Amino acid sequence: MSITMDTTLASLVTNKRRVSALKSLGIVTVGDALTYYPFRVTEPVPLRAIREAAPGQQMAFAAVIRDMRVVPMNARRGYRLEATVDDADFARSRRVPGSTARLTFFSYRKSYVDWVSMRLRAGTSVVVSGMPSEYMGQLQFTHPEILTVAPGSAGTGAGLEGYARGAASGNGAFAGSTDPYASAQSAYPPAAAAPSGAALKYDADTVQEALTRVCRPRPVYHASSRISSEHIHETILGLLWMMGARTSSTPDGQLAGAGSADIVAPTTDTIAVQNGEEKSGTTAESGAEALSQSIPDVLPESVRKAKNLMHRAEAFLAIHDPASTARFKEAIETLRYEEAFVSQTSLLKARSHAHKSAAHSCPLVTDSLRDQFIASLPFSLTAGQQQVIHDIAADLAHDWPMQRLLQGEVGSGKTVVALAAMLQAVDAGYQAVLVAPTQVLAEQHAETIGRMVEQLKPAIPVTLLTGGMKLAARRKALAAAASGEPGIIVATHAAFSKTFQAPHLALVVIDEQHRFGVEQRESLNAKTDDGTTPHLLVMTATPIPRTAAMTWFGDLDISWLTELPGGRKPIRTVVVNEADAATMGRMFAHIRARVDAGERAYIVCPRIDADDEENEGGSGVSSAAGSARGRAAASGSSARTAAGGRATRAAADAIGIDDPYETFDENGETVARPPLHAVAEIADRLQRLPQFQGIRFATLTGRDKDDVKTQVMADFAGGETPILVSTTVIEVGVDVKQASCIVIFDADRYGLSQLHQLRGRVGRGGTNSWAFLISRAEPGSPAEQRLEVIHHSLDGAEIAQADLEFRGAGDVLGDAQSGGKSSLKLLRVVKDVDMIADARTRAEQLLAADPELAGEVQLAGAVLDFTRGNETFLTSS
């Protein structure tokens, strides 16, 4: 069986529970496993003789079992197993006297005690790794790691001479064992034969092999309650062995060679070892070659040599079975550069492809509709708006498609800019489409635009098309679009359906672009009847750091709107500890006072109801983003589980929190956190409070039907239900000018950019406004530090920068909202800006010589995978 990066684990791993546990972490294929990188590596364990032991300091040594006994614990249930070990031979190699120590194990399970007893019989050679302590005047190791060594012609000294030479001449990871000594027979008798019928398996063939395994740096992976970091590591090593790796990555840059340690062949209990793949059947040299064939390099050879980088197969091996921490870091840098190179090549190809397409030219005309519209505005445009409108006008005049990203703060006037662009297209005799992510937002846009253009001459038809429209109205809207008459069409996802046709479409405006994938946007290209590509303007209020935007959106021209129109007052942000009942009470009294003054309040909760258990407490599924990342994660995240798994759409609808900040213990396992608050629960609790007696509440979630959402928002804006308890469905575009207060429960679990977006829902009518962030974060914790950023800043760029640094680039940028998988796992957009710039320069040189990457098949495939997997570029909202 030929194993590739696309081979499923289900076909290789025989333990189906493990397959299921790995799938919950987002690990489905061999490629998923190899790119599930450890978050740290342990330091090498030093070799020390028992007499050199220091309590509390990790150490490893070779010894022989002198005696062993099992003692029932009468005061408590269970057993205590004690074994005495003697390190005479090992100590001699270090030129210190031999000594003894006690190994102690506790267990309630008799089967476990029997298993350990069978392994630690008198005379057995073992390698011990653990933390020594002192008990009743004797050195003791409690539950140390034990590797049993198969009996041979020599005792514990066998192989130590060779190990010492390897340690001295290798990477320097194992200090102390540098003096070879002659092999010596053990002073104790060989281990007794295993009981009849018991198949005793040894962990290592030689002491050298065992010492190498326990002393080497070990990768630690983000794990879960279903699978430990050790089992993840064991599975990945088994996969590498099956793909051809027989020895670890060595410092001389080879996949196999002198001084490298053997990778242990996986057992049939874990991996389905194929016929002909037995350990004795493959040499290290052929195994290395096989691994390189199974994992071909992505980077061009010229780039890899110029940058002195590892082969991709070699890098995977050095990450998952590192010979040293330095080797591990070198491999991480190799794959980080690979990500930078693939991403920049992808963006450059996308930009080049766009400039080769044809588009309708929409030059400005005398007394244009655009100029009439600007003159009719009851306010003056900001300098930023004027500049962006000018830039877009120049783009629309070209006969190749504009591709521009407009990033602006909440309330910075992006809609005015977009409408000016659409009027320029209509003036040229074409159609323009504005696509909004929700029906509520589309209806708001249609109403606002219709009101803004009603005085213009000639009259501009504004057509609304949503999935929730009645059949007759929908047919009328589709017919108006299909007629090709110049005008503006405001639509939801209905614009991507096969029934929607706009034959004279010249401009597409995408509002909150991260809600739509590349495939959806490209489907609009097919709506024209002459094969042209519409101009594209994508807008987002998501704060994006400038360095990240210029790096990551390299296929788009980027404009920023940083000035807010006059009349908006700063939003006062208050962080409230949920356990502080007095402050919570004052907050609710304040909200009641604002409601009595004719204002409105949002209450935001991450879940719909308390029964939503899927991904609870750590997924980070953003329903507002329409995700299926599901981060996801976290490091779980925006529709991604913290560990990297994918969430279902039902879970995305149920949980609206964007939580990429998972908490892990030192072993990489997720730390349990309190359950998230739910809309139904909070609405019920608040209505019972004396502060809200006589006040009507409404609820709004992603599960509500479109007509229900429209009615709820109308009642809220009209004051019939002045308090709205909702999920993050109100996160984008909802514009209720009377709203002055927003309360966000579980704020410590949201991304900073999402909090900034939610906060922007209030203060839109020029009144004083407040955002209350309800937190259960521990004092001094990273979660509390994140909230301090949003507490003290209203600057979206500053918040985005902090979000990027807290989360890492792989969580903020580069993941898909439509079920694709992110190719960005190591690249740090802020810290690696020089690396990205270098990769972009080299990618430009490569594409200049080979535009279609005909000579770089693997790179071309990686670029295609990257484009598909990162089709929306943004994950946070």
Side-chain angles (χ1 to χ4, degrees), residues 45-49 58-62 90 127-130 211 214-215:
V45 178
L47 293 177
R48 292 181 183 143
Q58 194 83 6
M59 61 176 284
F61 62 94
F90 179 75
V127 166
V128 180
S129 174
L211 285 171
V214 301
C215 290

Side-chain angles (χ1 to χ4, degrees), residues 111-133:
S111 58
Y112 172 77
V113 173
D114 290 342
W115 177 73
V116 177
S117 300
M118 185 173 68
R119 301 180 75 226
L120 302 186
R121 297 186 314 277
T124 302
S125 297
V126 293
V127 166
V128 180
S129 174
M131 191 89 70
S133 60

Side-chain angles (χ1 to χ4, degrees), residues 548-830:
M550 288 185 290
T551 297
W552 200 238
F553 296 91
D555 60 331
L556 303 176
D557 295 309
I558 306 172
S559 297
W560 279 274
L561 287 178
T562 56
E563 303 168 75
L564 292 181
R568 293 204 63 176
K569 296 182 179 179
I571 302 169
R572 304 174 192 177
T573 305
V574 184
V575 179
V576 181
N577 189 315
E578 190 173 338
D580 186 350
T583 303
M584 293 283 287
R586 289 196 301 272
M587 176 189 72
F588 291 134
H590 171 80
I591 293 172
R592 175 59 189 262
R594 302 322 306 163
V595 169
D596 288 344
E599 296 169 10
R600 315 282 185 268
Y602 297 104
I603 311 289
V604 178
C605 304
R607 291 194 298 158
I608 295 177
D609 55 56
D611 295 329
D612 296 320
E613 297 295 337
E614 184 169 1
N615 294 311
E616 179 181 321
S619 76
V621 180
S622 176
S623 68
S627 301
R629 172 181 175 209
R631 165 57 65 252
S635 297
S637 7
S638 303
R640 178 179 71 167
T641 64
R646 303 277 163 185
T648 64
R649 181 56 187 262
D653 286 338
I655 303 173
I657 194 170
D658 172 20
D659 175 14
Y661 312 113
E662 266 315 288
T663 304
F664 300 95
D665 62 21
E666 62 180 8
N667 294 319
E669 297 195 10
T670 54
V671 175
R673 295 188 288 180
L676 300 168
H677 288 300
V679 168
E681 164 214 351
I682 291 298
D684 182 63
R685 282 171 52 186
L686 295 186
Q687 290 179 84
R688 297 172 187 268
L689 293 178
Q691 292 96 326
F692 296 123
Q693 291 301 309
I695 298 295
R696 289 186 61 195
F697 281 66
T699 61
L700 183 67
T701 74
R703 288 182 187 166
D704 294 329
K705 293 183 179 179
D706 286 337
D707 58 341
V708 174
K709 291 178 183 177
T710 301
Q711 187 60 50
V712 168
M713 289 307 302
D715 291 345
F716 177 64
E720 293 182 38
T721 52
I723 297 181
L724 178 62
V725 185
S726 76
T727 59
T728 53
V729 70
I730 58 101
E731 181 180 352
V732 173
V734 173
D735 188 4
V736 177
K737 298 190 183 307
Q738 299 92 336
S740 63
C741 295
I742 184 167
V743 178
I744 305 172
F745 279 91
D746 295 305
D748 53 302
R749 306 277 286 275
Y750 288 78
L752 295 184
S753 295
Q754 191 176 28
L755 287 175
H756 184 60
Q757 277 276 69
L758 288 167
R759 180 170 60 181
R761 296 307 103 207
V762 298
R764 305 173 76 86
T767 60
N768 291 323
S769 53
W770 294 262
F772 299 97
L773 310 182
I774 312 303
S775 167
R776 289 183 279 186
E778 294 292 329
S781 65
E784 186 182 61
Q785 295 170 21
R786 292 193 298 271
L787 289 181
E788 283 303 301
V789 173
I790 203 84
H791 177 206
H792 293 293
S793 178
L794 293 170
D795 185 334
E798 179 182 332
I799 291 167
Q801 184 75 16
D803 207 12
L804 194 59
E805 291 172 357
F806 276 122
R807 302 166 89 166
D811 285 318
V812 179
L813 302 172
D815 209 292
Q817 301 295 338
S818 58
K821 296 180 181 178
S822 171
S823 303
L824 255 194
K825 297 188 177 182
L826 299 172
L827 195 65
R828 303 161 303 186
V829 171
V830 176

Side-chain angles (χ1 to χ4, degrees), residues 2-311:
S2 176
I3 301 174
T4 68
M5 298 286 278
D6 294 323
T7 303
T8 61
L9 295 189
S11 64
L12 301 175
V13 179
T14 56
N15 187 328
K16 298 309 175 188
R17 286 188 178 181
R18 184 171 295 189
V19 171
S20 176
L22 290 169
K23 185 177 180 180
S24 72
L25 299 179
I27 304 173
V28 178
T29 66
V30 172
D32 294 335
L34 297 186
T35 56
Y36 192 78
Y37 302 119
F39 69 94
R40 69 179 177 94
V41 288
T42 62
E43 290 298 320
V45 178
L47 293 177
R48 292 181 183 143
I50 292 175
R51 284 189 179 273
E52 298 172 304
Q57 295 183 13
Q58 194 83 6
M59 61 176 284
F61 62 94
V64 174
I65 303 294
R66 176 185 285 181
D67 58 56
M68 182 271 298
R69 65 174 185 157
V70 177
V71 181
M73 294 186 291
N74 295 325
R76 294 179 294 171
R77 258 186 333 113
Y79 305 88
R80 182 179 76 252
L81 185 148
E82 295 179 349
T84 304
V85 294
D86 187 323
D87 73 338
D89 288 344
F90 179 75
R92 191 180 305 119
S93 73
R94 299 182 59 81
R95 301 185 180 180
V96 297
S99 187
T100 62
R102 182 168 51 218
L103 312 181
T104 305
F105 301 84
F106 299 93
S107 180
Y108 292 114
R109 293 166 48 208
K110 185 66 165 59
S111 58
Y112 172 77
V113 173
D114 290 342
W115 177 73
V116 177
S117 300
M118 185 173 68
R119 301 180 75 226
L120 302 186
R121 297 186 314 277
T124 302
S125 297
V126 293
V127 166
V128 180
S129 174
M131 191 89 70
S133 60
E134 191 174 335
Y135 179 71
M136 298 183 66
Q138 186 176 4
L139 200 67
Q140 174 175 282
F141 293 82
T142 304
H143 284 275
E145 179 180 3
I146 301 290
L147 294 184
T148 58
V149 180
S153 58
T156 56
L160 279 174
E161 179 178 358
Y163 178 80
R165 280 199 301 270
S169 61
N171 53 46
F174 313 121
S177 183
T178 57
D179 294 316
Y181 69 98
S183 298
Q185 293 290 340
S186 171
Y188 299 96
S196 176
L200 185 60
K201 295 180 180 179
Y202 293 94
D203 299 314
D205 293 334
T206 65
V207 172
Q208 174 184 348
E209 177 189 328
L211 285 171
T212 300
R213 284 169 57 187
V214 301
C215 290
R216 291 168 66 82
R218 295 192 196 182
V220 183
Y221 302 83
H222 286 312
S224 70
S225 59
R226 299 180 61 188
I227 186 168
S228 67
S229 174
E230 280 294 323
H231 283 157
I232 295 171
H233 187 213
E234 176 186 78
T235 303
I236 293 174
L237 288 185
L239 295 172
L240 286 169
W241 190 92
M242 289 194 70
M243 297 178 82
R246 295 297 184 266
T247 57
S248 63
S249 177
T250 56
D252 60 4
Q254 302 302 315
L255 288 171
S260 58
D262 288 343
I263 292 181
V264 179
T267 66
T268 53
D269 295 336
T270 305
I271 299 288
V273 180
Q274 306 300 314
N275 293 334
E277 291 182 347
E278 288 76 14
K279 185 175 182 180
S280 59
T282 308
T283 65
E285 289 74 13
S286 63
E289 183 180 345
L291 185 63
S292 298
Q293 292 173 351
S294 299
I295 309 175
D297 214 347
V298 169
L299 288 175
E301 184 73 8
S302 58
V303 173
R304 186 167 70 84
K305 287 184 176 179
K307 297 293 295 181
N308 194 27
L309 301 173
M310 296 180 179
H311 187 283

Side-chain angles (χ1 to χ4, degrees), residues 417-581:
V417 173
L419 181 51
M422 289 189 287
L423 290 173
Q424 184 172 337
V426 172
D427 228 358
Y430 300 109
Q431 295 170 295
V433 173
L434 170 62
V435 186
T438 67
Q439 176 166 328
V440 170
L441 185 53
E443 289 172 345
Q444 287 186 358
H445 276 317
E447 180 184 353
T448 302
I449 291 172
R451 190 169 58 248
M452 285 181 165
V453 303
E454 63 184 358
Q455 302 299 326
L456 301 184
K457 301 296 181 183
I460 307 299
V462 178
T463 304
L464 175 65
L465 175 64
T466 71
M469 296 173 70
K470 291 184 178 179
L471 183 59
R474 182 180 173 84
R475 284 178 174 172
K476 184 177 180 181
L478 289 171
S483 71
E485 180 187 359
I488 295 173
I489 303 161
V490 181
T492 58
H493 289 72
F496 304 122
S497 69
K498 293 181 179 179
T499 56
F500 175 72
Q501 296 296 327
H504 294 160
L505 183 61
L507 173 64
V508 174
V509 180
I510 304 287
D511 193 13
E512 292 305 329
Q513 72 97 20
H514 57 289
R515 306 303 178 86
F516 306 100
V518 163
E519 292 177 2
Q520 287 178 313
R521 295 200 298 263
E522 289 184 347
S523 73
L524 291 172
N525 294 345
K527 307 301 183 183
T528 59
D529 59 358
D530 52 10
T532 59
T533 299
H535 298 281
L536 177 66
L537 175 65
V538 291
M539 305 191 298
T540 181
T542 302
I544 310 166
R546 284 180 178 258
T547 54
M550 288 185 290
T551 297
W552 200 238
F553 296 91
D555 60 331
L556 303 176
D557 295 309
I558 306 172
S559 297
W560 279 274
L561 287 178
T562 56
E563 303 168 75
L564 292 181
R568 293 204 63 176
K569 296 182 179 179
I571 302 169
R572 304 174 192 177
T573 305
V574 184
V575 179
V576 181
N577 189 315
E578 190 173 338
D580 186 350

